[in-house]
Amino acid sequence: VVVLVSLGLAGCSGGSVEVAESTSQTASASGASAPASAAAQASETAAVVLPAKHQWVAAKKAKVQFAVPSAWQVVDADQVAAGVDSINADTKKAFTAIAEAQGMTVDVFFKQVFQQMDLYAASPTKSKDLYDNVNVTRPQVPSLPTRDAVAKDLEPLGGKVVSGAKITTLAGEGTRVAYTFPVGDRALNAEMVFVDNGSDIVQITVTAGSAAAAKALTDTVVSTVSPS
C-alpha cells in the first residue's frame, strides 16, 4: 500500500529509457529477442499478440512480461538497483520535479518509491492531473490474495474495493481487484492483478486518471501477461 500511494502521486514525463523491442507481434517465453526453448513454450506464447501501438516490458525478478502503450517510459529493476543516475537526463529531470513537489530530494524519492519494485512504467502526459502508470512487485505472500483480503488492507486507509474476480493468465492463475484510494481531495482509480507464476506471487498495480482507463490498461495487462 505504501508503494501504491506513492505511485499514485508519481509519474514519468519526457525522455526515454531502454525497453524491449516492440516490433515483433508475439512474445517469447525467454525474452523479446530470444527464441522459445521448447515447442510448448512457443505454442503458449504464440497466442500472446502485441496490441497495436504497444511495447513489451519485462519484470526480470518477477519473470513476467506484458504490454504497455508504446509511448510510456519504463524504469526496470536494474536501473532501480543502480540508482537515479542510471536513467537518462530527461527522465531524471521529470522525477526531480515530482520529488521536490513532495518535499524530498530525487535520490531519496527514487529509493523510497522504487526500491520495492521490479518494474515501473508511466504515461508521458497527465490525465486528470495523474500520470497513468503500472508497477510490478513481489509482495512475499504465501498464497494469492482474495478480494476480501485486499479490502481488509485497503479499507482502514480509506480505500474501497469496487470489484474482484479470479482470473487465468498465461503466466498463471490469479486474482484481479479494482478499487479507489483517496489521496488529498481526490480518489485514485486503480486495479491490482496478482498472479501465481509457480514460484512467486507477482503483483501488478495499475493506476489511472479514470476507472475506465484503469480497466482498459488492466485488460491489456491480463490478456498479455506471460512468462519472460
Side-chain angles (χ1 to χ4, degrees):
V1 172
V2 172
V3 172
L4 163 68
V5 174
S6 297
L7 292 180
L9 299 173
C12 172
S13 63
S16 61
V17 295
E18 292 298 319
V19 295
E21 290 292 332
S22 58
T23 54
S24 171
Q25 292 302 302
T26 58
S28 165
S30 56
S33 61
S37 59
Q41 288 180 318
S43 175
E44 179 182 76
T45 57
V48 187
V49 177
L50 181 67
K53 299 182 180 179
H54 281 67
Q55 63 181 319
W56 293 115
V57 293
K60 297 176 182 178
K61 294 179 181 178
K63 299 179 182 178
V64 297
Q65 62 185 13
F66 52 88
V68 299
S70 55
W72 279 28
Q73 310 304 314
V74 182
V75 178
D76 66 19
D78 290 342
Q79 292 169 309
V80 172
V84 70
D85 289 334
S86 68
I87 60 180
N88 68 37
D90 287 340
T91 306
K92 182 177 179 179
K93 183 178 179 180
F95 280 122
T96 300
I98 295 166
E100 290 177 349
Q102 298 188 48
M104 62 182 80
T105 68
V106 67
D107 295 283
V108 171
F109 173 80
F110 198 82
K111 290 176 182 177
Q112 287 188 356
V113 174
F114 293 108
Q115 65 184 352
Q116 301 176 56
M117 284 189 299
D118 195 355
L119 175 76
Y120 174 75
S123 60
T125 57
K126 289 183 179 180
S127 172
K128 296 184 179 179
D129 202 37
L130 174 74
Y131 294 100
D132 294 349
N133 64 82
V134 58
N135 71 81
V136 180
T137 59
R138 295 178 299 154
Q140 304 300 309
V141 292
S143 59
L144 281 172
T146 63
R147 168 183 169 156
D148 289 345
V150 173
K152 185 177 180 180
D153 284 342
L154 290 176
E155 287 173 357
L157 300 171
K160 181 181 179 181
V161 169
V162 177
S163 64
K166 293 181 179 179
I167 58 173
T168 298
T169 76
L170 289 178
E173 297 301 308
T175 306
R176 175 176 177 174
V177 179
Y179 60 98
T180 60
F181 196 92
V183 175
D185 60 355
R186 64 168 296 171
L188 300 181
N189 298 279
E191 296 205 25
M192 288 184 194
V193 174
F194 298 93
V195 177
D196 185 347
N197 68 6
S199 58
D200 256 333
I201 303 296
V202 178
Q203 177 180 336
I204 305 171
T205 302
V206 175
T207 308
S210 69
K215 180 182 183 304
L217 291 166
T218 308
D219 284 347
T220 298
V221 168
V222 171
S223 65
T224 60
V225 64
S226 51
S228 64

